[in-house]
Amino acid sequence: GAVVSQHPSWVICKSGTSVKIECRSLDFQATTMFWYRQFPKQSLMLMATSNEGSKATYEQGVEKDKFLINHASLTLSTLTVTSAHPEDSSFYICSASNRRSQETQYFGPGTRLLVL
Amino acid sequence: GESVGLHLPTLSVQEGDNSIINCAYSNSASDYFIWYKQESGKGPQFIIDIRSNMDKRQGQRVTVLLNKTVKHLSLQIAATQPGDSAVYFCAENIGGYQKVTFGIGTKLQVIP
């Protein structure tokens, strides 16, 4: 149980375009979802926390207008990288937690974004 | 600001030996700690956790030790196998708050 999926697993796009990444909890209801960014050989950096039905809470330094997060249902959250630039190229990972075990985060497999 | 950090960025061990991965944390308010394993190109995978009211917890081939006096956390892997090769992160959580802070990570290389 507690499986989280992400789609797509990798994406290549041109500079200036927008990219949407989906995060789904497959067998549980995710009351909270988290979005992380990870650069090569570095740790995971939390970008934002989203609770179902409410606005996401962004970490300091993360542009909310550039990284749009929607958590419209208990099983789906989306991250849209708007007007992507090469410096946005990274590994984006989501995680989800449920009411029963709010401290435990179940991670998705990640989405590798390459902006040309 | 306060953060979680690791002493060793890379650890090489012989297959069959025991591995010890260390982590130092600086936030004394942290009361829940997790170790994650991340294989190349994949998301983190939960290994084991421990609460601050414990100093040791054992799983299958893994043991986590917590020393609150010196704010130190370690992950011990017994009889290390090639499949254990990955980057290991410690993470801390405060008082049931959902936000988790990740450490830098240690790359474990298992030599066959």
Side-chain angles (χ1 to χ4, degrees):
Chain A
V3 178
V4 176
S5 70
Q6 282 184 240
H7 178 80
S9 56
W10 61 270
V11 57
I12 302 173
C13 69
K14 292 182 179 179
S15 183
T17 60
S18 295
V19 176
K20 180 184 283 188
I21 302 170
E22 292 185 349
C23 177
R24 293 182 184 272
S25 56
L26 299 184
D27 51 4
F28 68 100
Q29 293 185 330
T31 49
T32 305
M33 286 185 167
F34 305 84
W35 286 97
Y36 295 84
R37 180 167 52 183
Q38 185 178 34
F39 293 108
K41 299 185 179 180
Q42 294 188 24
S43 187
L44 282 75
M45 297 301 297
L46 180 65
M47 299 174 67
T49 302
S50 74
N51 292 296
E52 184 265 338
S54 61
K55 290 184 178 180
T57 301
Y58 289 81
E59 295 298 302
Q60 191 173 9
V62 178
E63 300 175 58
K64 60 181 66 177
D65 293 331
K66 180 168 183 63
F67 299 99
L68 302 179
I69 292 173
N70 183 279
H71 191 168
S73 77
L74 286 172
T75 59
L76 174 64
S77 176
T78 60
L79 167 68
T80 301
V81 182
T82 62
S83 186
H85 292 288
E87 57 265 30
D88 298 322
S89 298
S90 188
F91 193 48
Y92 292 87
I93 306 171
C94 74
S95 69
S97 63
N98 58 29
R99 285 195 188 91
R100 284 180 55 191
S101 182
Q102 293 187 10
E103 292 171 325
T104 303
Q105 294 185 28
Y106 304 97
F107 285 84
T111 297
R112 188 160 302 282
L113 170 64
L114 176 61
V115 184
L116 301 177
Chain B
E2 297 187 291
S3 64
V4 177
L6 294 178
H7 297 302
L8 298 172
T10 305
L11 176 66
S12 297
V13 298
Q14 204 72 37
E15 180 179 356
D17 288 351
N18 297 334
S19 302
I20 300 176
I21 301 172
N22 297 302
C23 175
Y25 66 95
S26 56
N27 192 337
S28 57
S30 296
D31 59 2
Y32 177 59
F33 305 88
I34 315 108
W35 279 101
Y36 289 97
K37 171 186 180 183
Q38 186 179 28
E39 297 177 356
S40 181
K42 297 183 179 179
Q45 175 186 357
F46 173 91
I47 301 173
I48 192 168
D49 59 0
I50 188 168
R51 297 194 180 278
S52 59
N53 61 352
M54 303 172 68
D55 53 21
K56 181 179 180 179
R57 190 165 188 221
Q58 287 185 297
Q60 188 177 14
R61 280 202 308 119
V62 294
T63 301
V64 55
L65 299 178
L66 175 62
N67 186 330
K68 295 182 288 295
T69 303
V70 295
K71 299 190 186 76
H72 184 267
L73 194 68
S74 69
L75 175 70
Q76 299 179 1
I77 304 174
T80 311
Q81 303 169 359
D84 295 326
S85 294
V87 177
Y88 290 80
F89 293 97
C90 64
E92 60 179 333
N93 176 280
I94 301 170
Y97 180 50
Q98 293 173 303
K99 179 178 175 179
V100 168
T101 301
F102 280 80
I104 300 171
T106 294
K107 183 177 181 179
L108 176 64
Q109 295 179 322
V110 181
I111 304 167

